[in-house]
Amino acid sequence: MKFAVVVFPGSNCDVDCYYAVKYGLNQEVEYVWHQEKDLSKYDVIMLPGGFSYGDYLRAGAIARFSPIMEAVKEAAEKGKYVIGICNGFQILTEAGLLPGTLRKNEGLKFICKTVSIIVENDKTPFTTRLKKGQEISLPIAHGEGNYYVDGQTLEDMKKNDQIVFRYKENVNGSVERIAGVINKEGNVLGMMPHPERAYEPLLGNTDGLYILGSIVDNFIKGGVN
Amino acid sequence: MVVAKVYITLKKGILDPQGKAVKGALHSMGYEGVKDVRVGKYIELTFEDGDLSLLEQKVDEMCKKILTNPIIEDYTFEIGEG
């Protein structure tokens, strides 16, 4: 299987994603510049963390209009796995591929630390190596990770089991401690924590492989039952 | 020249950490009377002269498409001679 790591001007976790896929998962991976228009040869699309376009206007607002985003939408519609991490999550919400939006952290500060995450939905192609209620540790590093969604949409999301991860402690003020969500169809995941920064013992944490490894398992199996 | 002045504010009820920080600073400077602070954005768009009513529609479209995030932000704008 082949992964694409989309590189926007200002992405800074693209190399982490690349290494996590290549050395953590032993899978093929290529960088794809945001001005490209074709993602047809890739099976999984990763939108990495960083500060696309300097986060000017709003995080993810300008990147969402990069030419590659049409191809990301197409890939999502075809059912390919799409994962947006941190700034990638912000871009996916701006693009309307995921519900809600990310506001400035409630505590006014940029937060960079390892936090506990609780798995809410273990039936997604990104979480089959996990169990509902399981607690894992992942690094976060964001100034705008405060997830917001209106009440009605939140109810719909709960009905569709779209909340995938919650923070154990509400580090940034997110509605219901939400740390990661999935689309209704179940193939587009957005999350603020960084699994790609936790893929080998040298990094002091391998919990990210629960998530990245699930993608590989499910691709090989041909989908989640 | 025609200038469109776009004012973007966070919707009521949406937490504004930036406003909160500014309020704290004002209070610590002795401006105790400040009850609340909300920080917004001001965007100025300059155009060549043209049909104003058509422009109004265009600026509205720009606000909806990219300049604001309708989930958390409201906007108003005015168009006039620059």
Side-chain angles (χ1 to χ4, degrees):
Chain A
M1 65 186 295
K2 203 165 192 173
F3 284 70
V5 175
V6 178
V7 183
F8 297 93
S11 293
N12 66 11
C13 298
D14 44 345
V15 180
D16 306 61
C17 283
Y18 185 96
Y19 273 71
V21 173
K22 191 167 182 185
Y23 301 105
L25 303 177
N26 290 313
Q27 299 296 325
E28 272 187 82
V29 56
E30 280 176 9
Y31 295 116
V32 180
W33 183 234
H34 75 118
Q35 281 177 332
E36 299 288 328
K37 291 177 180 163
D38 185 9
L39 286 165
S40 56
K41 65 174 173 169
Y42 303 99
D43 306 302
V44 181
I45 319 300
M46 297 180 93
L47 304 188
F51 296 87
S52 55
Y53 292 89
D55 273 357
Y56 292 139
L57 198 59
R58 292 181 311 279
I62 301 178
R64 164 244 190 290
F65 289 100
S66 281
I68 197 72
M69 288 309 293
E70 277 305 313
V72 173
K73 266 189 193 162
E74 259 172 50
E77 278 162 17
K78 280 186 185 147
K80 287 187 181 179
Y81 300 150
V82 177
I83 175 170
I85 301 162
C86 202
N87 192 232
F89 183 15
Q90 294 162 339
I91 296 169
L92 289 175
T93 59
E94 282 286 340
L97 286 168
L98 288 173
T101 189
L102 285 312
R103 301 171 295 177
K104 284 200 173 70
N105 294 342
E106 188 177 44
L108 312 172
K109 289 188 180 118
F110 187 96
I111 311 166
C112 183
K113 63 178 181 182
T114 296
V115 296
S116 292
I117 310 288
I118 295 164
V119 180
E120 286 296 322
N121 181 351
D122 59 5
K123 303 277 191 296
T124 82
F126 307 91
T127 51
T128 43
R129 283 192 184 184
L130 292 156
K131 286 274 158 281
K132 187 175 161 79
Q134 190 176 339
E135 197 176 313
I136 58 171
S137 292
L138 286 178
I140 56 166
H142 59 244
E144 296 182 41
N146 180 350
Y147 186 77
Y148 175 80
V149 67
D150 66 67
Q152 184 55 52
T153 315
L154 184 65
E155 287 312 309
D156 290 347
M157 288 169 69
K158 282 181 183 168
K159 266 182 222 151
N160 299 321
D161 225 353
Q162 285 177 258
I163 300 163
V164 181
F165 302 111
R166 288 185 210 267
Y167 302 104
K168 192 176 181 193
E169 314 262 328
N170 201 350
V171 283
N172 53 24
S174 292
V175 166
E176 298 202 358
R177 311 193 322 278
I178 291 173
V181 303
I182 200 157
N183 63 341
K184 271 187 198 145
E185 293 73 21
N187 64 313
V188 179
L189 175 79
M191 60 190 295
M192 289 312 293
H194 287 271
E196 83 284 10
R197 290 191 189 176
Y199 76 90
E200 67 167 349
L202 193 65
L203 295 167
N205 183 353
T206 56
D207 284 2
L209 285 179
Y210 285 123
I211 295 158
L212 302 175
S214 291
I215 303 174
V216 181
D217 292 353
N218 288 294
F219 181 79
I220 291 164
K221 254 184 16 194
V224 190
N225 295 315
Chain B
M1 301 275 244
V2 179
V3 173
K5 297 173 174 179
V6 182
Y7 304 92
I8 301 167
T9 49
L10 280 171
K11 282 188 173 159
K12 272 190 189 152
I14 299 288
L15 176 88
D16 179 5
Q18 211 176 336
K20 222 164 82 180
V22 174
K23 187 175 96 174
L26 288 169
H27 282 185
S28 69
M29 289 163 75
Y31 299 108
E32 299 288 346
V34 181
K35 281 265 183 295
D36 196 22
V37 179
R38 309 280 287 170
V39 177
K41 280 180 215 166
Y42 170 68
I43 299 174
E44 205 175 85
L45 309 165
T46 307
F47 300 89
E48 297 293 343
D49 290 329
D51 184 338
L52 284 189
S53 65
L54 211 64
L55 199 58
E56 195 158 319
Q57 211 181 325
K58 261 198 183 144
V59 172
D60 195 51
E61 199 179 294
M62 288 179 216
C63 287
K64 287 199 170 88
K65 271 193 184 161
I66 178 166
L67 299 181
T68 74
N69 180 342
I71 301 175
I72 52 169
E73 291 172 330
D74 286 327
Y75 65 89
T76 56
F77 62 84
E78 54 198 49
I79 295 175
E81 294 295 317

